Structures are given as structure tokens and as C-alpha cells.
Amino acid sequence: QAKSESCDELSLEITSLSLVRLKGSAVSCMSFQTSSRHFKHRHAMGWSRQVLWDFVITVSVRVLIVAAFTTMCLRRNHADAFVQNAWDDLRVRWWFQHDTFEPVLATTSFAFWMALWYAVDLVAYAHIPTRYRLQTSESMHQWKPQGHVAQEVLLYLAPLAMYDHVKPRRVLPPDAPTALACLAQVMCSLLLYDCLFAIFHRAMHSHPVLYRRVHAKHHHNAVVRARDAVRVSALEQLVDVSCSILALKLTGSHPLSRAIHNIVITFLITELHSGYSFPWSFESVVPYGLYLGPTKHVLHHSVNAPYYAKVFAVLECMPSMDVLRVCKHTSRGWSARRA
């Protein structure tokens, strides 16, 4: 019965999103409403043992995060000393000093997280409860080799490695950022990256030619798996990487913060396409629907509408998300006047 109610609610939400898209209305702040609907649905199910256990796990993770942050603030000197010691150890390593370290770290992180989600997919339908799965399909064809590794090496690593060889520029300062500064830089770079990508993502969905030539490959599969995180065209990969590099540049992030950014963003992107929503996931732990998460991204893949950002739900309410649509209507108006 719980599974039936969940499917009915998902179908209703997909239908409502499709109607909104067909009417041409701006979909704003939808992510904030999704969390409350999800909570009401679980409340309607009753506080069964499973739901209560999930609630306890979510609250426990929240408490641990708040406790860790509070401890870091109260024992700031110890936290700063820990970061400085870690930085002193890293900055003398030859592989960390190499100019191509960051692209290799991003690629390696992607490979690690996808291997983790592949392992989850292998055991999912035997051991993972259905309430954690956003899709019922058992298809694993997305994990078959399809040339993504070659694209990653030829179009991402190779050009950056050649540029780093011609123009070495990696400078490692002797001092590490404070623990709070490092955390702030990572959060700011994630926010700026998400903002930049959301604008381009909306553009790719708004313009039929861009969608067909650039973004359609990413939406090819009806069932979303973590492997779809790298199932993108060469041009979309260039845009995505450029958004990340530009965000790190504009925030002036320390090399240590840049490394953490690469590890965190690759995890968030693969989790976004995983097709699972656990009680310890950021989607459940972050309150008020501020984090988009896999549930909303599965809806995005289902209807090719809202949730253009990857991480922060607040970006769905930004006027800039509709700037390209406004420009397109304006250009049509000018064309009509000239005619």
C-alpha cells in the first residue's frame, strides 16, 4: 500500500509539472514545496517502524553535523592546526605539486564515486528496501562501456595536461586557510558553480537546437543511473568544466579548498543521478528542501522541466533562470516589428 501511494504521488507530481511546462508558466520555488509534500506523504503513511527508523537516522545525521560544526567553532585553534598540518604534508608531495593534479583528482573522484554507486546497483534489488529506490527498473545497460573514458581522457585530461606542460602556473602558498575559511570557500565555489551551470542548463532546455545537439545525449535513458552523470556531449562537458573552473577562480579558493571542491562536487553529481534517496542523503538531511537531490533530478529527467540547478534549490527561484526565455521572446518581437 505504501509503495502504491508513493507511485501515485510521483505520477501526480510529474503530471502537474508537465501541465505547468505546457502552460509556459515559470516554475519557481517548486523545490521548497516538494519537501513538505514528501513529509505529508510519510505522515499519511503513519509512523510505521520503517518510517520512524528513517526519521531517527536523518535526525541523528543532522545532530552529528551540527555537533561537528559547533566543535570546530569552539575549538577553532585545534581545527586550524589540523588543517595546517594536513596542508604542510600535502604541499611537499610531488603529485600534489603537479599542475595537472586537479583534473586528475576530478577524474579519479568521478571514477571512485561511480564505482561505489555501481556496487550499490549490484546489490540494490536484493538488499536495499524499495522505499529508498526512486525507480523500479532493474536495467543495468547504462553501465556498459560506451566510450566515456576515452572522451574524458581525450577531451578533458589531455588538453589540460598539454596546457599545464606549456604554461606551468601552480603555486602552493605556505599557509593553509583556516578551517572556517576553507569551509566557506568550498560552499561559495559550489554555489557559484551551481548558479553558472543552472543558467546554461536552462538555456539548453529552452532552445530546441541546443537541446538536440548538446544536451539530448544526457537525457537519452529513461532510467537514471550514476553513470549518466558523465553521459554528456563534448560541448556540454566543456561548459560544465568551465563553470567549475570559473567558480574556483572567482572565489579565489585556496588550492586545498579547490581539491575539496573537486571531491565534493563529483560526489554530489553522481549521487544526483544515482536514483536513490536514503535517510542519510543530503536530500533528507538538509531541511526545508534547500538541497535538490536525486528525487527532484529524477523528475527533471522525466519531464525535461524544472530543477535546472544541481545542488541549491534556491537557484530555482532566481530571475536569471528565465533570462534566456525573455531574450528569446524579445528577439521575436523585434523580428516581427521589422517584418
Side-chain angles (χ1 to χ4, degrees):
Q1 182 181 359
K3 182 178 179 181
S4 172
E5 292 177 1
S6 178
C7 292
D8 291 340
E9 183 177 351
L10 183 60
S11 301
L12 179 61
E13 185 159 8
I14 291 176
T15 304
S16 63
L17 288 177
S18 302
L19 291 175
V20 170
R21 187 183 179 213
L22 289 173
K23 290 178 180 178
S25 303
V27 182
S28 59
C29 301
M30 291 286 294
S31 51
F32 295 101
Q33 300 170 9
T34 303
S35 179
S36 61
R37 284 197 296 270
H38 184 63
F39 174 78
K40 290 177 182 177
H41 167 65
R42 288 200 170 188
H43 183 68
M45 290 171 57
W47 287 101
S48 63
R49 181 183 301 178
Q50 293 84 0
V51 174
L52 182 59
W53 181 243
D54 291 349
F55 177 76
V56 170
I57 294 176
T58 300
V59 173
S60 300
V61 175
R62 289 176 179 174
V63 170
L64 288 175
I65 292 175
V66 172
F69 180 75
T70 303
T71 302
M72 183 179 67
C73 293
L74 294 177
R75 303 178 66 86
R76 193 176 305 174
N77 293 335
H78 292 80
D80 293 345
F82 175 81
V83 173
Q84 183 63 53
N85 290 336
W87 175 245
D88 290 338
D89 182 67
L90 282 174
R91 63 186 298 267
V92 298
R93 305 289 181 176
W94 67 267
W95 43 267
F96 194 83
Q97 296 174 353
H98 201 280
D99 283 83
T100 319
F101 167 76
E102 289 183 13
V104 171
L105 176 64
T107 305
T108 305
S109 299
F110 258 127
F112 176 81
W113 298 127
M114 283 194 293
L116 178 64
W117 287 114
Y118 177 67
V120 172
D121 277 345
L122 287 178
V123 301
Y125 295 92
H127 301 91
I128 296 181
T130 56
R131 67 182 184 276
Y132 298 146
R133 289 184 257 148
L134 301 174
Q135 301 158 118
T136 57
S137 173
E138 299 184 13
S139 173
M140 293 284 286
H141 77 274
Q142 290 93 332
W143 290 106
K144 294 181 180 179
Q146 298 179 8
H148 297 122
V149 175
Q151 176 177 311
E152 195 76 14
V153 173
L154 295 177
L155 299 181
Y156 176 54
L157 281 179
L160 289 176
M162 288 189 293
Y163 181 75
D164 293 336
H165 179 73
V166 173
K167 188 179 179 181
R169 62 201 178 282
R170 185 167 173 82
V171 178
L172 303 179
D175 296 327
T178 63
L180 288 177
C182 184
L183 179 62
Q185 288 177 0
V186 172
M187 292 299 297
C188 288
S189 62
L190 290 175
L191 177 61
L192 185 54
Y193 160 77
D194 206 24
C195 181
L196 294 172
F197 178 81
I199 295 174
F200 283 103
H201 193 189
R202 176 60 187 265
M204 289 185 286
H205 278 273
S206 300
H207 200 290
V209 176
L210 281 178
Y211 181 83
R212 186 172 61 254
R213 300 285 181 84
V214 180
H215 195 51
K217 181 179 179 180
H218 184 63
H219 283 262
H220 177 73
N221 296 317
V223 179
V224 183
R225 301 287 188 203
R227 180 67 178 270
D228 291 309
V230 295
R231 191 188 306 279
V232 295
S233 65
L235 185 56
E236 183 174 355
Q237 182 178 11
L238 176 63
V239 169
D240 200 345
V241 172
S242 299
C243 289
S244 183
I245 294 175
L246 183 59
L248 292 170
K249 288 287 186 182
L250 293 177
T251 54
S253 297
H254 188 276
L256 181 60
S257 304
R258 295 170 67 98
I260 297 174
H261 167 95
N262 285 321
I263 296 173
V264 172
I265 194 60
T266 51
F267 170 76
L268 295 179
I269 293 173
T270 52
E271 187 214 25
L272 195 67
H273 295 84
S274 66
Y276 299 96
S277 180
F278 298 106
W280 56 83
S281 301
F282 284 110
E283 179 181 47
S284 303
V285 173
V286 178
Y288 307 115
L290 295 174
Y291 180 81
L292 287 177
T295 302
K296 302 179 184 68
H297 202 69
V298 167
L299 289 175
H300 169 76
H301 275 257
S302 300
V303 297
N304 284 345
Y307 311 126
Y308 299 106
K310 291 183 177 180
V311 181
F312 298 96
V314 68
L315 296 179
E316 297 298 317
C317 306
M318 290 177 58
S320 59
M321 296 298 291
D322 289 326
V323 66
L324 291 165
R325 180 172 59 86
V326 173
C327 292
K328 182 169 66 175
H329 289 316
T330 304
S331 63
R332 288 178 179 175
W334 279 109
S335 300
R337 290 182 183 181
R338 291 177 181 176

